[in-house]
Amino acid sequence: MGVARALAADPPLLLLDEPFGALDPLTRAELQREFAALCRRLNKTVVFVTHDLREALLLASRIALMRDGRIQLLAAPHEFLQATDPYARAYLATLRVGNFDEDRTAPASRQVFRDTCAYGDGEAPDSISER
């Protein structure tokens, strides 16, 4: 409901903090699909905060992995999957199903900010000026 209210105002930029976090997995998956389709139609810039790497990989055009209040890695989803950064690799290791013997000293979850839709001009920036 909050996403609908935000879109009704037609802002140039949306900031969404865990909008699907409190949903059951089936409802969450359906709303993620609908949200992605809506973003493509509206061509809105969205900064989407999530702790769910699967969600980030599904919806993002860019993923910014935060560590200690700074951007550790900024990458497109396909680039994130190939990242060599140890912190990003620790996140990717959490995607392995049934791999319970992994090193459990991986850092605690941090916020993952992502732009889920194309920027207003259709182009994402090459970099973030302040890191």
Side-chain angles (χ1 to χ4, degrees):
M1 186 56 131
V3 174
R5 277 194 302 258
L7 287 171
D10 195 30
L13 173 76
L14 290 173
L15 173 59
L16 303 176
D17 188 359
E18 302 272 0
F20 307 130
L23 301 174
D24 67 86
L26 297 177
T27 303
R28 183 180 185 133
E30 179 61 28
L31 285 177
Q32 287 170 337
R33 284 190 294 274
E34 292 294 325
F35 182 75
L38 181 65
C39 283
R40 284 190 298 274
R41 280 197 314 273
L42 297 178
N43 196 33
K44 290 284 182 189
T45 298
V46 179
V47 177
F48 193 109
V49 180
T50 185
H51 291 85
D52 182 345
L53 182 55
R54 285 180 178 89
E55 186 172 63
L57 291 167
L58 174 70
L59 296 176
S61 62
R62 297 274 183 145
I63 299 171
L65 180 63
M66 304 293 292
R67 184 175 192 180
D68 299 326
R70 299 179 61 86
I71 294 175
Q72 179 81 16
L73 176 69
L74 177 64
H78 70 278
E79 296 166 337
F80 193 96
L81 290 170
Q82 303 301 317
T84 58
D85 177 83
Y87 194 59
R89 298 302 312 158
Y91 266 84
L92 290 168
T94 69
L95 296 177
R96 295 187 195 120
V97 177
N99 197 356
F100 298 108
D101 293 330
E102 278 290 317
D103 177 14
R104 297 194 183 261
T105 62
S109 180
R110 301 278 185 177
Q111 293 180 333
V112 178
F113 290 88
R114 57 200 168 64
D115 176 5
T116 61
C117 302
Y119 282 75
D121 61 3
E123 296 293 323
D126 290 330
S127 65
I128 293 180
S129 58
E130 293 183 13
R131 284 195 169 180

